[in-house]
Amino acid sequence: MLFWKKETQLDRIKNKLEKAMRKDTAFSVFGASSHKYRVYEKLTVKELADWQAKNQVTLPEPYTQFLTKVGNGGAGPYYGIYSIEKATSYTDSGLTKKCVLHPGMTKEEWNRLTEPLINDEDISDLEYDAARERVLGGMLCIGTQGCEYDMYLVLEGKHRGKIVYTSDFYLDRPFFFVYEDNFLDWYERWLDEIILDYDIAWFSSRMPGDESALIQVYQNAPNEEIKSKALDGMFKFKKISRPTIDFLESVAEQRQNDRITAIQLICKTSVDAGRGYLLELLHSDRNED
């Protein structure tokens, strides 16, 4: 009797890394020329245990599975994933603290939390560092997007295991939690979108899903915010099918709130389908159009 081994998510990721490399041989995907779809040598179980003991923290399991079964950093979104050693050196906040950030953080909450960092002229270096640690505590810096943008993994608190995109501290701009619940789901989505030839310049900042999934989300959305995010998620497609163009045309005709976004999507992916809308807008007196 033959027994077939069930493919695990880690198996899929290893296979998709090879597919992504074959898909993007020119390393044209943002950051690919840095990591070239190669991962570093895996951590041993002992090395992982030693790191956790030294830093008095237990890493989320999906991330530890990546480190010990796939590689200790290397290929990944944007400029890639830091090795655990580099991640530690780039993290200057308290790893053992509970993360105070959360996906639904309002601008008002964010402004109260970061006020000392935004208006930092009258505080000492010690006060600044303490305020910064309050914001970034309980997270590990696992990579960079370039410039002031970094990627953190939540280690402690309710949202343990989630990925957070950070920037500098700005008024009314809370840090962004990606849509995926854990490191492996986020990482696999990155590979999927490369293989599907999506535009991933701002990977995972938009709602996941293919054309039909996002149309369904839009049609069943309980509020305008979800509708807007579903439409925005379509900007990652380099081209769209005729049924999706038909859907966007119906949105443009029936929903004034989403009209411009729908037209932008049509024009981005099909000049022929968008020509009539462009001519109409060019002759419009509405400045916002």
Side-chain angles (χ1 to χ4, degrees):
M1 182 181 293
L2 294 174
F3 293 92
W4 297 99
K5 178 185 175 185
K6 183 179 179 181
E7 185 182 44
T8 67
Q9 186 174 25
L10 292 170
D11 293 329
R12 292 199 307 269
I13 284 173
K14 292 174 186 177
N15 291 333
K16 288 176 181 179
L17 265 172
E18 295 294 328
K19 289 181 181 178
M21 185 187 297
R22 292 196 297 270
K23 180 76 175 182
D24 185 28
T25 55
F27 306 129
S28 58
V29 169
F30 182 86
S33 59
S34 297
H35 55 71
K36 295 181 170 60
Y37 300 101
R38 301 292 185 185
V39 292
Y40 306 141
E41 185 177 347
K42 295 175 285 191
L43 278 185
T44 66
V45 173
K46 183 180 184 305
E47 287 170 334
L48 175 63
D50 288 345
W51 184 93
Q52 293 187 133
K54 179 181 178 181
N55 292 278
Q56 298 182 305
V57 66
T58 301
L59 295 170
E61 185 177 357
Y63 178 60
T64 64
Q65 288 179 332
F66 182 86
L67 295 176
T68 58
K69 303 294 184 182
V70 180
N72 180 22
Y78 299 95
Y79 287 103
I81 306 300
Y82 291 153
S83 67
I84 191 65
E85 298 81 10
K86 191 170 183 178
T88 310
S89 70
Y90 275 75
T91 304
D92 54 5
S93 55
L95 292 177
T96 58
K97 292 181 175 293
K98 283 196 175 181
C99 179
V100 300
L101 305 178
H102 59 89
M105 179 169 274
T106 65
K107 292 178 181 179
E108 292 73 22
E109 288 178 281
W110 170 258
N111 292 343
R112 286 195 297 271
L113 179 66
T114 57
E115 195 278 333
L117 301 168
I118 295 171
N119 303 307
D120 61 356
E121 296 179 356
D122 298 323
I123 65 172
S124 67
D125 290 345
L126 284 176
E127 290 172 320
Y128 182 90
D129 290 343
R132 191 172 187 276
E133 188 169 283
R134 279 196 296 275
V135 178
L136 296 174
M139 300 195 300
L140 179 71
C141 185
I142 60 169
T144 184
Q145 298 166 300
C147 299
E148 64 189 42
Y149 301 95
D150 293 315
M151 304 178 290
Y152 278 76
L153 176 69
V154 178
L155 304 182
E156 300 292 341
K158 181 179 178 181
H159 302 288
R160 171 179 162 84
K162 293 273 285 184
I163 305 293
V164 181
Y165 291 171
T166 72
S167 62
D168 208 341
F169 304 107
Y170 296 108
L171 194 68
D172 295 336
R173 275 178 50 183
F175 291 159
F176 179 76
F177 278 71
V178 304
Y179 288 89
E180 292 69 40
D181 288 328
N182 63 66
F183 179 91
L184 290 179
D185 287 352
W186 171 74
Y187 193 92
E188 188 173 14
R189 177 186 169 185
W190 171 69
L191 293 170
D192 286 339
E193 294 195 358
I194 291 172
I195 294 166
L196 291 167
D197 196 29
Y198 288 175
D199 180 354
I200 61 169
W202 287 104
F203 167 70
S204 202
S205 61
R206 292 190 166 110
M207 186 178 285
D210 60 15
E211 294 173 51
S212 60
L214 290 172
I215 289 173
Q216 189 171 12
V217 170
Y218 182 91
Q219 292 173 333
N220 298 326
N223 55 54
E224 293 298 322
E225 181 182 4
I226 300 300
K227 284 183 179 292
S228 177
K229 287 181 178 179
L231 280 186
D232 183 68
M234 293 187 182
F235 279 105
K236 64 179 179 285
F237 304 135
K238 294 180 181 178
K239 54 186 177 180
I240 55 177
S241 64
R242 183 67 238 185
T244 300
I245 293 175
D246 292 342
F247 161 75
L248 291 171
E249 288 178 340
S250 70
V251 171
E253 296 301 323
Q254 299 171 24
R255 299 246 332 149
Q256 193 61 41
N257 287 350
D258 299 325
R259 175 177 166 79
I260 297 302
T261 303
I263 291 174
Q264 288 174 330
L265 284 163
I266 293 169
C267 294
K268 174 182 184 290
T269 53
S270 176
V271 174
D272 288 339
R275 182 174 287 111
Y277 291 106
L278 286 174
L279 291 173
E280 176 190 337
L281 293 177
L282 285 170
H283 291 92
S284 171
D285 293 330
R286 295 176 60 190
N287 293 328
E288 64 270 28
D289 288 353

